[in-house]
Amino acid sequence: MGKEVNGVSRSRFEMFTNSDEAVINKKLPKELLLRIFSFLDVVTLCRCAQVSRSWNVLALDGSNWQRIDLFDFQRDIEGRVVENISKRCGGFLRKLSLRGCLGVGDSALRTFSQNCRNIELLSLNGCTKITDSTCNSLSKFCPKLKHLDLASCTSITNLSLKALSEGCPLLEQLNISWCDQITKDGIQALVRSCPGLKGLFLKGCTQLEDEALKHIGAHCPELVTLNLQTCSQITDEGLITICRGCHRLQSLCVSGCANITDAILHALGQNCPRLRILEVARCSQLTDVGFTTLARNCHELEKMDLEECVQITDGTLIQLSIHCPRLQVLSLSHCELITDDGIRHLGSGPCAHDRLEVIELDNCPLITDASLEHLKSCHSLDRIELYDCQQITRAGIKRLRTHLPNIKVHAYFAPVTPPPSVGGSRQRFCRCCVLL
């Protein structure tokens, strides 16, 4: 084998001879051609490989296959395709997405793990055939793994987390959403051996209790993102431990965790000043008192989902308008105590002029066209949701559009009562909602 040039041996360049009549192959150095090929996606590389023998060598060189997303290419692949890719890419491959590839199982991923030992990012989201065996292979052969997505791989158990803790100490981000066999034992093993974890997505892991959160709070000081949506057994006790141990937390989702109270908002305000995203939909025990503490301490908030936080009033909006100048997205759907006065404060706050992009007000019965008048100064407002706001009118929306012509307004108006039929013909009326 000859000396390597940019990952391709010199002997492989020897097939570029003067007999190749393509001008581009004569004019450009082969190293430059290889560099150009490195910017192409998977589909384009495959097409280029069919142009000529010389281009086939360049297109299929492993150095061009460092990042592969088969979701954009072909999802109904079989395991042998993954095995072939791994043999071609070898140690070059850094990122691979097999999201939604239902035909890929443990055997193919064992071959992949053996061949691609430098893999750093791997998505197996929705690969429902895989089991703990795959994580054992990754643990054994892929010590550089940093990001792993196992969402909806429902056969995954605590054994997978224990294997990853033993062989993948550099793990920074793990998604095991909807892996509902996971318990505190798996979480404990994982966090004790992977202290660099920055993102944990545990959505739908319904067996998790406060004990699991205590392990996270004690061993994950670098944690930035935590998703616990619909983990219905957790309470204030576990989440307060998270707040006290994870001061770098920027994104927290506890939507559907109905047991939590204002104590969580106080803990976030006192311990997590970098918080940017908070999703607490359907947490009906939260009140203005908790959000006041949060707003006064977390000035970097950008996105808040407060849907069905039914106890909050205009008082929460007043505090957000004063203390949260970076607010971009705010959902207040089903917050039935919100009135025009709260929207008035929001519309005159520091976030309104340049920041606020989305506001959702579905099922807010006290909201009227006056709220739309208060939002006219929100020049960055891109979308507003107004379904089932009975006091909002078409005229009010039209006036808003004169100031914000590009805004997307989603509203519902009951269809006009059809007139009595005349003669034998009957006029048909669409019963669908009107999307403005």
Side-chain angles (χ1 to χ4, degrees):
M1 184 69 72
K3 182 179 179 182
E4 288 196 353
V5 180
N6 290 340
V8 177
S9 66
R10 196 176 297 277
S11 62
R12 293 173 71 178
F13 280 156
E14 290 174 359
M15 66 177 58
F16 291 88
T17 64
N18 291 331
S19 61
D20 193 331
E21 296 299 327
V23 175
I24 190 172
N25 291 336
K26 291 182 177 180
K27 296 293 185 180
L28 293 182
K30 307 310 176 285
E31 296 86 354
L32 181 55
L33 281 171
L34 182 64
R35 176 64 173 163
I36 293 172
F37 275 53
S38 70
F39 291 97
L40 303 181
D41 58 34
V42 173
V43 176
T44 308
L45 283 170
C46 290
R47 289 172 178 166
C48 289
Q50 301 175 56
V51 172
S52 67
R53 187 184 178 195
S54 55
W55 276 33
N56 181 276
V57 172
L58 291 174
L60 298 183
D61 187 81
S63 64
N64 291 324
W65 295 68
Q66 297 184 41
R67 301 172 184 84
I68 304 174
D69 188 344
L70 290 179
F71 187 84
D72 297 328
F73 180 51
Q74 183 178 352
R75 274 170 280 177
D76 57 345
I77 66 169
E78 299 177 359
R80 61 181 177 81
V81 176
V82 175
E83 294 179 9
N84 291 339
I85 287 174
S86 71
K87 292 172 184 176
R88 175 165 299 282
C89 300
F92 284 111
L93 190 61
R94 298 292 189 276
K95 300 179 180 180
L96 174 66
S97 175
L98 299 174
R99 180 168 51 113
C101 294
L102 301 178
V104 177
D106 293 328
S107 176
L109 286 165
R110 179 174 178 80
T111 301
F112 163 82
S113 301
Q114 292 173 329
N115 290 327
C116 302
R117 302 189 181 207
N118 291 320
I119 191 74
E120 297 176 3
L121 185 153
L122 177 62
S123 175
L124 302 174
N125 189 317
C127 297
T128 53
K129 281 188 176 181
I130 71 168
T131 71
D132 294 329
S133 176
T134 286
C135 289
N136 285 329
S137 298
L138 293 172
S139 172
K140 187 174 182 180
F141 301 111
C142 304
K144 297 183 180 180
L145 191 62
K146 293 181 179 179
H147 291 200
L148 178 61
D149 188 347
L150 298 169
S152 299
C153 298
T154 52
S155 295
I156 294 298
T157 74
N158 290 333
L159 295 176
S160 285
L161 301 193
K162 291 175 181 177
L164 292 171
S165 70
E166 294 169 0
C168 303
L170 302 181
L171 204 62
E172 294 180 0
Q173 184 165 301
L174 178 66
N175 188 346
I176 48 174
S177 296
W178 309 113
C179 298
D180 55 7
Q181 298 188 60
I182 299 297
T183 70
K184 63 180 178 61
D185 294 333
I187 297 296
Q188 180 180 14
L190 177 76
V191 298
R192 283 187 171 181
S193 298
C194 301
L197 277 170
K198 296 180 180 179
L200 263 177
F201 298 84
L202 307 174
K203 181 178 180 180
C205 293
T206 52
Q207 293 197 56
L208 295 184
E209 301 172 330
D210 289 334
E211 198 65 30
L213 303 193
K214 291 177 182 179
H215 292 307
I216 296 172
H219 298 285
C220 299
E222 303 295 319
L223 196 67
V224 173
T225 302
L226 179 62
N227 190 320
L228 295 165
Q229 182 174 338
T230 69
C231 295
S232 56
Q233 297 192 60
I234 66 174
T235 71
D236 294 343
E237 184 180 0
L239 282 170
I240 288 174
T241 306
I242 294 286
C243 297
R244 291 175 176 171
C246 307
H247 298 292
R248 299 188 180 188
L249 196 66
Q250 295 183 18
S251 176
L252 175 65
C253 177
V254 287
S255 294
C257 300
N259 294 321
I260 68 173
T261 72
D262 284 341
I264 298 307
L265 302 181
H266 290 302
L268 285 168
Q270 294 167 1
N271 298 282
C272 305
R274 302 182 187 182
L275 193 67
R276 294 184 179 181
I277 299 173
L278 178 64
E279 299 178 30
V280 289
R282 304 182 301 286
C283 297
S284 58
Q285 298 189 59
L286 303 181
T287 73
D288 293 337
V289 176
F291 284 112
T292 295
T293 300
L294 182 78
R296 289 178 176 177
N297 292 278
C298 298
H299 305 303
E300 297 184 19
L301 280 166
E302 297 176 357
K303 177 183 177 181
M304 298 185 71
D305 185 354
L306 311 184
E307 181 174 351
E308 293 187 40
C309 291
V310 294
Q311 295 194 54
I312 67 171
T313 71
D314 294 338
T316 289
L317 298 192
I318 292 171
Q319 296 300 320
L320 293 176
S321 68
I322 296 172
H323 301 292
C324 301
R326 299 186 180 184
L327 199 60
Q328 298 175 18
V329 179
L330 178 62
S331 176
L332 298 166
S333 298
H334 294 272
C335 296
E336 298 185 358
L337 302 179
I338 298 296
T339 74
D340 294 332
D341 191 55
I343 302 301
R344 177 176 65 83
H345 281 89
L346 191 68
S348 60
C351 71
H353 188 72
D354 295 317
R355 297 279 186 167
L356 194 62
E357 297 176 0
V358 176
I359 184 166
E360 298 179 357
L361 298 168
D362 301 331
N363 294 94
C364 292
L366 303 181
I367 295 296
T368 73
D369 286 349
S371 286
L372 304 187
E373 295 293 322
H374 299 319
L375 294 173
K376 286 181 179 179
S377 60
C378 301
H379 301 299
S380 296
L381 199 60
D382 177 67
R383 176 169 60 86
I384 184 169
E385 305 283 337
L386 297 166
Y387 290 113
D388 292 318
C389 293
Q390 300 297 327
Q391 300 192 65
I392 296 292
T393 68
R394 294 178 187 272
I397 292 174
K398 186 176 181 180
R399 287 193 295 271
L400 178 65
R401 284 184 176 282
T402 61
H403 292 268
L404 304 172
N406 296 319
I407 193 172
K408 301 178 184 69
V409 183
H410 296 166
Y412 171 83
F413 295 97
V416 178
T417 302
S421 59
V422 179
S425 63
R426 185 177 72 174
Q427 187 174 2
R428 296 182 180 272
F429 286 80
C430 175
R431 296 190 178 186
C432 298
C433 64
V434 179
L435 197 62
L436 298 175

